[in-house]
Amino acid sequence: MACIILSGAKINYEMSKGKTEIKARGYGMRYPDEMPIITNKDVGK
């Protein structure tokens, strides 16, 4: 019975680029220019 009812339901999963970025940042996404660069002289500290 549920399959018959849900077969007509249309699900839209589209998100704007802004909402996608906000969600990704919530999961820990960072851009490469936001990350610190570790050099060999920093490793020995």
Side-chain angles (χ1 to χ4, degrees), residues 18-37:
K19 286 184 179 181
T20 303
E21 184 172 346
I22 290 169
K23 192 164 188 97
R25 286 189 174 271
Y27 288 125
M29 180 200 82
R30 297 289 174 253
Y31 287 105
D33 59 335
E34 296 174 341
M35 296 179 199
I37 298 173

